[in-house]
Structures are given as structure tokens and as C-alpha cells.
Amino acid sequence: ISVACAILEEILREGGRPDVLDIGCNIGFLPTFLSDTFGVHATGIDSAATAITQARRLDPSGQVNFIKSTVDTFSSDRQWQVVVAVDLIQPHQPKFFSILEKGCTFVKPGGHLLAGGNYSERDSFMKFFNHHGFSCLGSQLTGGFQQGHAGFDEFVDWSAKGAFHFTNRRGLDK
């Protein structure tokens, strides 16, 4: 959240009116928070109908546009200044790269993509985005060892969890 806030503050300072797309928004906390805090136009998409229902309850003002859709079926001619994709898809899942590639199409030239997840192959992840016209402005491992869930005593290694901040260079190198 702090990176998204810093980006929005910078865009607002420059006189821009950013818009935000949260891919896999779950119950809509992030787009609602960003809309309420910064007055930006925000859109959230999620494949779960129950999550979208909860998201709409979280945003009683109706300022955020919540859409029930999967990433691979979502279509829009529109692009966003800031796109957030946190824990959208994991490397072992089918269609991993095609879904990330689709997410890239939603970012305006010069816009920002914030991606986070369990990406154990940090270098190949960054090469993928570079190949698609994005430059990495920053990355950070956000994991560590955490106690297992549901009362298990063993620890879960989340050390491969990372957060990345990319900018879209496509269309700017003319």
C-alpha cells in the first residue's frame, strides 16, 4: 500500500489525475482506500462474486467500480496510470505468463505496475517484464519465515515473496 500511496502522491503533485486498476482486488480494500484517501478513480476486478459483493459493501459511496471478471476474460480499451496485481497468480499455476502479459496491456505508457507474489525466480520475473517493455524501478523481498496456519507448529518459508514496481516504457521510446 505504501508504494501505491507514494506513486499517487507524486502524480497528484505533478498535477495529474491518476486512475487505479486493482487486478484480483478481493474484497476491495486497496481500491477503496486509495479512492477515499486520494480521490482517484479506482476500478477493482475479481473472479469471485462473493468478493465483489463484499467490496461493494466496503465502498458504500459507490466511488469504486467493481467488476466480476477473471483477468484472462476481462477486456477494456482503457488503460490505467497505476495497475496493482498482488498475489494475482503464482508461477506454478497454468497460464502464469499469459495472465501477467494480459495485465501489462492495462498499464498506460509511462504508467506504473505494482506486482507482488511468491516469485522465487526474481531474475526471470524481471526479464519477463523487461521483455514486455517495462523497467523495474524497485523490488523488495517481503517474506520471511512465518508460523504455519491452522495451529500447525511448523514454519512456512515465504522468503520468495517479493514486491516489484515497474514502469511501462512502451510507446515512450520514440
Side-chain angles (χ1 to χ4, degrees):
I1 289 179
S2 63
V3 174
C5 291
I7 292 168
L8 291 174
E9 286 172 346
E10 181 179 328
I11 294 169
L12 289 168
R13 229 181 352 266
E14 294 171 356
R17 208 64 217 148
D19 50 0
V20 177
L21 172 64
D22 185 359
I23 303 171
C25 69
N26 201 326
I27 64 166
F29 173 77
L30 182 62
T32 300
F33 173 80
L34 296 175
S35 177
D36 289 348
T37 304
F38 297 100
V40 299
H41 180 271
T43 301
I45 66 169
D46 201 279
S47 61
T50 54
I52 294 298
T53 299
Q54 285 296 103
R56 289 183 178 135
R57 286 187 193 135
L58 186 64
D59 177 43
S61 68
Q63 295 299 309
V64 180
N65 182 26
F66 289 107
I67 301 167
K68 183 195 171 301
S69 179
T70 62
V71 176
D72 48 351
T73 60
F74 181 67
S75 70
S76 177
D77 293 334
R78 181 172 181 204
Q79 290 183 308
W80 286 262
Q81 185 69 27
V82 178
V83 175
V84 179
V86 176
D87 290 328
L88 175 64
I89 188 164
Q90 302 306 320
H92 64 277
Q93 292 176 293
K95 302 183 187 180
F96 175 72
F97 286 110
S98 65
I99 287 177
L100 289 179
E101 189 170 9
K102 175 96 182 250
C104 290
T105 67
F106 301 131
V107 184
K108 289 180 181 177
H112 302 270
L113 173 64
L114 305 176
N118 293 329
Y119 305 122
S120 58
E121 297 295 326
R122 177 184 176 270
D123 291 337
S124 63
F125 185 69
M126 290 175 59
K127 284 178 187 174
F128 169 85
F129 280 102
N130 190 272
H131 175 75
H132 286 86
F134 286 76
S135 293
C136 186
L137 299 179
S139 67
Q140 169 183 353
L141 286 176
T142 59
F145 288 92
Q146 298 175 349
Q147 183 107 19
H149 297 286
F152 294 107
D153 289 331
E154 68 269 7
F155 285 83
V156 178
D157 180 5
W158 291 102
S159 59
K161 188 156 185 118
F164 298 86
H165 175 194
F166 295 99
T167 188
N168 182 357
R169 299 184 326 264
R170 291 174 297 163
L172 299 178
D173 300 331
K174 293 183 181 180

